[in-house]
Amino acid sequence: MSSAIFKLAPGVQSYDWGKKGSASLAAQFGKVCVPDFKIEDDKTYAELWMGTHPTLPSRIISPSDSSSSTLLSDHLKSHHDLIGDAITTKFEDSKEGNLPFLFKVLSIGTALSIQAHPDKKLAKKLFDERPEVYKDPNHKPEMAIALTPFLAFLNFLPLPTLLLNLLSVPELSALIDSSLVDSLASSLTLPSTRPPDAFLFQPTVSSPTDAQKDILKKIFESLMSADKEVVERSINDLVKRYKNESREEEIGDNEKGLVDLALMLNEQYPGDVGVLCVFMLNVVELKKGDAAFLGANEPHAYIKGDIIECMATSDNVVRAGLTPKLRDVPTLVDMLTYEAGPGNKQLLKPTPFSGEDDKSTSLYDPPIEEFSVLRIELGKEEKTEHRAIAGPSLAVVTEGAGIVAVGGDKVDFERGEVLFIGAGKEVTWESKGDGVEVFRAFVEADK
C-alpha cells in the first residue's frame, strides 16, 4: 500500500503565446515545484502540465534524492489502490496508470488560436488518418476557471447580433456572399437593408434551427476560406477606419466595444482572418473564480489572462485562425456544432461541495465523466474536511500555505506546489498564515 498523498514535479511548456519570465504564473509555480527549473526573463512560459499525458508527464521526486524520480503513471500502474477499482473499471487506460484528465495552469500573454476540439469519433478518425498532426484518439472537452480577469472567444454570437455585424461592418461583409446574408436575415425574419436599424437586432437565447446552422456554417466557411490577400486588405481597411479619428462616426455602436480588441489582435497576428472573428464569436470576460465549459466541436480562443484548465487527457486541437501553426480549415468547418447564443451560455456556475453550509469549497462539475474541479478557500488558520472521493485527485496551490492530512499522512504545502491524492480517502485541509487557495481536480466513477 503506497502513501495516499505525495508531491509531484509537473512540467512547464514554453509556447510563444505565454507570458514572459516571472510575469507568467506557470513559471512562478514551476520555479517552486519543478526541480532545477530556472526562469529566463526573455522566455515565454505558457502552461504548467499536471498529469500523465505522455507529452509532458508528471513525476514523483524522491524525498531523499532530488535527482531520482519516477513517472506518476508508472507508480499508479503498480499501485491501483491509488486510482480505485471503480476508475480502473470505467476507464480502461487507467489500468496502465493513466489519469483520464489533464490539469493545467495557463498564463496567456498573446491570444491563442481560434480552435475547437474533436469528439471521440472524430478524434479517432483524425488520429488514424494523420497521427503526425493529431497525436491521440481521445476527445478533449475542457473547463477554464479564471485566476485573474480573463478574456476569451466562446462560441458563435446570437444570430441577430451576428447578422447586424454582417450588415454594418463593411470590411466583414466584403468577404461574405450577400446571398448568404440575405438567407440568414430571411430565416430570422429580419431586414437585410443597409444601414441596419440596430434596435431590430435583439440577441436571442434560443438555439438556431438546422436550416440556420447550415447558413451559419456557409458564412463561417466563406470567411475562414477567403483569399489571404483579400482578407489582409479588408483588415487593413478596418484598422485604418478604427484609427482614423475623423471617421469615428462611421463606427457603429455594435462595433465600439470591439475596436480595441480588433486592433490588439491585429498587432499580434497582422492580417490574420481570426481578427475578423471579433464580429462572429462572443467576447466574454471572466472575473476570478468564474468558469466556462467548452464541449467538443465548439469554437473558442483564449485571449488574455491566467486560468486553471482541466480537460480529458488529450492534446488534439483543430486550428483555423490567430496562429502560425497548421490551419485545418476544412476539418474545423465540418466539425463545429454551429450552436449560437449569448456567451454566458458557456459559463458554469459552481455549487457547494459538501452541502449548502460549506463556504470553503466550491464544486465545478461539467457534464462529462472525466473530471470535476474543487476550489478550496480558507481564511487565516481555518480548516475544512473533504469526504472520500472514489477516484484520484491532483491539487495545485495557487495562494498561501497550509497542511493537508490524508489518513495518517500529513504534508506541508505552499504556493506553487502540486499534490497527488489517492482514491477513497478523507482529506483535511488546514491553512497556515493568512489563508490558502487550492484547486483540486478529480475523477469519480459514479458521477
Side-chain angles (χ1 to χ4, degrees):
M1 181 81 66
S2 173
S3 173
I5 183 168
F6 44 83
K7 293 181 180 179
L8 292 178
V12 177
Q13 297 278 32
S14 297
Y15 304 136
D16 289 344
W17 52 260
K19 293 185 178 181
K20 276 196 173 182
S22 297
S24 167
L25 207 56
Q28 291 176 31
F29 292 177
K31 187 177 180 181
V32 175
C33 62
V34 181
D36 301 322
F37 179 80
K38 292 180 175 60
I39 300 175
E40 299 175 30
D41 290 340
D42 59 349
K43 192 171 182 179
T44 54
Y45 300 98
E47 300 185 345
L48 185 78
W49 281 37
M50 301 166 280
T52 54
H53 193 287
T55 298
L56 195 61
S58 296
R59 294 179 170 271
I60 306 169
I61 306 300
S62 170
S64 57
D65 181 6
S66 62
S67 65
S68 175
S69 67
T70 303
L71 279 174
L72 173 61
S73 54
D74 287 346
H75 185 73
L76 296 180
K77 185 177 180 180
S78 302
H79 299 89
H80 278 185
D81 58 295
L82 294 175
I83 299 176
D85 291 340
I87 299 302
T88 54
T89 299
K90 187 166 187 174
F91 298 98
E92 185 69 23
D93 202 33
S94 66
K95 293 175 182 176
E96 299 300 312
N98 296 307
L99 299 175
F101 62 86
L102 177 60
F103 203 29
K104 296 182 181 181
V105 174
L106 271 62
S107 294
I108 303 152
T110 301
L112 279 71
S113 57
I114 292 169
Q115 60 185 257
H117 306 301
D119 58 25
K120 285 185 177 180
K121 182 179 178 181
L122 178 59
K124 185 178 187 310
K125 180 176 182 290
L126 293 173
F127 176 69
D128 289 344
E129 293 175 352
R130 287 183 284 169
E132 74 283 0
V133 176
Y134 299 105
K135 305 292 188 181
D136 59 70
N138 200 16
H139 68 161
K140 191 185 176 184
E142 63 187 29
M143 179 171 62
I145 306 172
L147 293 172
T148 63
F150 168 63
L151 198 66
F153 285 132
L154 300 178
N155 221 342
F156 288 102
L157 287 163
L159 292 185
T161 306
L162 194 151
L163 175 60
L164 175 61
N165 289 339
L166 287 168
L167 293 171
S168 60
V169 181
E171 299 85 1
L172 175 66
S173 60
L175 301 172
I176 309 297
D177 192 301
S178 60
S179 65
L180 292 175
V181 180
D182 291 339
S183 295
L184 180 59
S186 177
S187 77
L188 295 166
T189 62
L190 288 169
S192 58
T193 51
R194 306 171 198 238
D197 180 355
F199 179 77
L200 298 174
F201 297 79
Q202 299 301 314
T204 56
V205 296
S206 57
S207 293
T209 65
D210 288 345
Q212 289 169 338
K213 288 180 181 180
D214 186 58
I215 297 168
L216 177 56
K217 179 179 180 179
K218 291 174 180 175
I219 289 171
F220 188 64
E221 182 176 25
S222 293
L223 176 64
M224 304 310 288
S225 305
D227 181 81
K228 188 173 184 292
E229 290 185 1
V230 176
V231 169
E232 289 176 350
R233 269 200 310 272
S234 289
I235 293 174
N236 286 337
D237 289 344
L238 181 77
V239 170
K240 286 178 184 176
R241 180 162 66 90
Y242 281 176
K243 288 186 173 182
N244 190 338
E245 293 181 4
S246 66
R247 298 177 65 188
E248 191 171 345
E249 73 282 354
E250 298 180 26
I251 301 175
D253 288 342
N254 56 307
E255 294 180 76
K256 287 177 180 176
L258 301 171
V259 169
D260 289 344
L261 177 57
L263 293 176
M264 182 190 82
L265 293 177
N266 188 60
E267 287 177 3
Q268 295 176 357
Y269 301 96
D272 190 293
V273 67
V275 173
L276 297 174
C277 283
V278 299
F279 307 115
M280 300 285 290
L281 305 176
N282 289 290
V283 180
V284 181
E285 184 167 4
L286 278 65
K287 63 180 186 300
K288 182 174 181 178
D290 288 346
F293 174 70
L294 295 153
N297 304 325
E298 294 179 350
H300 61 279
Y302 298 159
I303 298 171
K304 61 179 179 180
D306 299 280
I307 61 171
I308 289 286
E309 188 181 47
C310 199
M311 65 201 65
T313 302
S314 172
D315 200 26
N316 282 323
V317 180
V318 184
R319 301 178 179 88
L322 299 181
T323 180
K325 296 183 179 180
L326 173 71
R327 300 170 188 235
D328 192 349
V329 173
T331 298
L332 186 78
V333 167
D334 283 342
M335 71 189 279
L336 298 181
T337 62
Y338 294 98
E339 281 294 331
N344 60 16
K345 286 180 69 173
Q346 309 298 316
L347 301 187
L348 183 71
K349 290 190 175 180
T351 57
F353 177 54
S354 303
E356 294 299 325
D357 294 333
D358 181 12
K359 306 297 184 186
S360 66
T361 305
S362 301
L363 169 65
Y364 298 86
D365 195 20
I368 43 105
E369 298 178 331
E370 286 87 350
F371 64 83
S372 301
V373 175
L374 300 175
R375 180 191 185 191
I376 305 146
E377 298 174 278
L378 298 174
K380 186 175 183 178
E381 297 179 358
E382 287 185 346
K383 180 185 294 188
T384 192
E385 295 183 357
H386 287 178
R387 63 166 175 82
I389 292 174
S393 305
L394 297 178
V396 58
V397 185
T398 51
E399 295 291 345
I403 304 169
V404 57
V406 181
D409 298 322
K410 283 189 175 184
V411 174
D412 290 294
F413 61 80
E414 64 178 349
R415 181 178 184 269
E417 290 191 309
V418 177
L419 306 163
F420 175 90
I421 301 169
K425 302 291 185 180
E426 293 183 356
V427 181
T428 300
W429 301 90
E430 185 175 354
S431 70
K432 296 192 297 187
D434 292 332
V436 70
E437 179 185 62
V438 178
F439 286 86
R440 178 185 181 187
F442 68 93
V443 57
E444 194 157 42
D446 62 354
K447 180 179 175 181

